[in-house]
Amino acid sequence: MPRGVVESSDSPFSNLWRKGGDGFERANGLETSSPSAYRARVRIPLVQHSTRRRRARYRRVLWSGAEVLVTAGVLVLLLVVHQLWWTNREAKEGAERRVEALEREWGDGGGAGGSGPGTGTGTGSGPGSDDGSGSGSGVDGGLGRSGVGSAKASSSGGTPRSSQAYAVLRIPRLDLRVPVAEGTSKRDVLNKGYVGHYTGTQQPGQGGNFAVAGHRNTHGEPFRRLDRLRSGDTVEVATRNAIYTYVVDKILPQTSSRDAGVIRPVPRSLTRPAYGYDAPGRYLTLTTCTPEYTSRYRLVVWGKLVGTLPRG
């Protein structure tokens, strides 16, 4: 560039230079012989096309990862809603309809397969496990079968079929009314919102132990508030032939899921022997999972029969 001539105004360096005495000096006071010499001394960074492509690729990867995380979060949320809300609603409505159907049958004089008052206590040996009980979120887990043999049902009722709803459990303190079905299968009984009768334990009103299990959480959660029961509370079990009234007597806050002693004819915990009974009687046992949303331990409530009201 000729001496004394400055760059045009549209040059990228026009705002950096002004004419000096023997050369050009930068507007901020840094002197050099010419703009070209300044360019040689100062390296101006250039954005390469490969750098742009790499950055665009990073952005696409990050965006795709964010979309995957958001989608996974929505799916998990939907699963939680299904487990905590929809299964409860569906099971509760189904259980209520079954209770109403049983009561209509009894009112019309039809049979629902229940049993009347009996005296059988049953005999047998060693603990076993009920079919379909399993573990996980089930309420009976390793308690399984009481191992005392099948109780004799009243001659007027007969033994209920597996998974058959044949009684109604009422707990006034909990404002609970739920059907009782034979067995503790999760798929066929517990997940329907029913309370399941431990196969091998006695039937309502009979000598021995009428033991049942119910979900603490999800699938109708009939025993959600079982821990609120106190000594002296009443529990009613209605069948086709009679209404049996039990009074809560003892509560075992926590025991092993495999503590089969709590559902024996004379119930006593095997892992916490201080809890239980020594003499034969007509007992009621309610079991469920504890703490909530886990299936590691069992909460047990025991009651004693105090009254029987035969149906007309």
Side-chain angles (χ1 to χ4, degrees):
M1 179 179 295
R3 184 179 179 84
V5 178
V6 298
E7 293 181 327
S8 62
S9 60
D10 57 352
S11 170
F13 292 92
S14 60
N15 62 338
L16 300 177
W17 301 91
R18 68 174 178 267
K19 183 176 180 182
D22 294 328
F24 289 84
E25 65 176 357
R26 198 177 178 190
N28 61 4
L30 296 178
E31 296 184 359
T32 186
S33 60
S34 68
S36 300
Y38 178 77
R39 294 191 192 98
R41 292 178 57 187
V42 179
R43 180 174 296 176
I44 301 174
L46 298 177
V47 177
Q48 302 293 333
H49 291 293
S50 60
T51 303
R52 291 180 176 177
R53 287 195 295 269
R54 187 165 53 252
R55 290 176 179 174
R57 188 162 52 247
Y58 290 157
R59 286 195 296 268
R60 287 195 297 270
V61 171
L62 290 175
W63 183 260
S64 299
E67 288 182 335
V68 170
L69 290 177
V70 170
T71 302
V74 171
L75 291 176
V76 171
L77 180 61
L78 291 175
L79 179 61
V80 171
V81 170
H82 177 268
Q83 285 294 106
L84 298 183
W85 179 74
W86 179 253
T87 63
N88 275 341
R89 177 179 176 179
E90 190 175 38
K92 285 179 180 178
E93 291 178 352
E96 183 62 28
R97 288 194 299 269
R98 193 69 190 107
V99 167
E100 293 173 354
L102 286 172
E103 292 176 342
R104 283 197 303 270
E105 290 177 11
W106 299 336
D108 294 337
S115 64
T119 59
T121 58
T123 59
S125 60
S129 62
D130 188 26
D131 293 340
S133 62
S135 57
S137 63
V139 294
D140 55 325
L143 290 179
R145 182 176 300 180
S146 66
V148 295
S150 298
K152 295 180 180 180
S154 168
S155 59
S156 62
T159 303
R161 300 185 309 273
S162 178
S163 304
Q164 176 190 0
Y166 67 97
V168 175
L169 180 76
R170 300 189 186 100
I171 305 179
R173 173 180 282 273
L174 306 183
D175 193 25
L176 176 67
R177 190 177 68 156
V178 63
V180 179
E182 182 64 25
T184 53
S185 166
K186 287 196 290 184
R187 185 187 66 179
D188 298 328
V189 177
L190 302 179
N191 286 358
K192 292 182 176 180
Y194 297 177
V195 166
H197 169 244
Y198 284 104
T199 301
T201 66
Q202 281 62 49
Q203 293 294 340
Q206 294 180 339
N209 190 5
F210 172 60
V212 298
H215 274 308
R216 183 83 181 270
N217 301 109
T218 72
H219 297 94
E221 52 192 28
F223 284 170
R224 173 72 181 271
R225 301 192 299 270
L226 195 66
D227 58 331
R228 298 185 183 182
L229 286 180
R230 297 292 181 266
S231 295
D233 289 340
T234 60
V235 179
E236 294 181 351
V237 181
T239 68
R240 177 172 65 97
N241 301 311
I243 300 175
Y244 305 95
T245 301
Y246 296 83
V247 171
V248 174
D249 183 55
K250 295 182 180 181
I251 299 173
L252 174 55
Q254 181 174 295
T255 188
S256 167
S257 62
R258 298 187 178 276
D259 187 359
V262 301
I263 58 174
R264 288 181 174 176
V266 180
R268 179 169 290 279
S269 172
L270 300 179
T271 59
R272 304 183 68 180
Y275 291 87
Y277 299 89
D278 297 317
R282 298 174 186 266
Y283 299 106
L284 166 72
T285 300
L286 311 175
T287 68
T288 193
C289 295
T290 196
E292 290 193 60
Y293 301 103
T294 70
S295 59
R296 185 174 181 180
Y297 300 107
R298 298 295 179 267
L299 166 66
V300 182
V301 175
W302 287 303
K304 290 183 176 181
L305 184 68
V306 296
T308 300
L309 178 62
R311 293 184 184 273

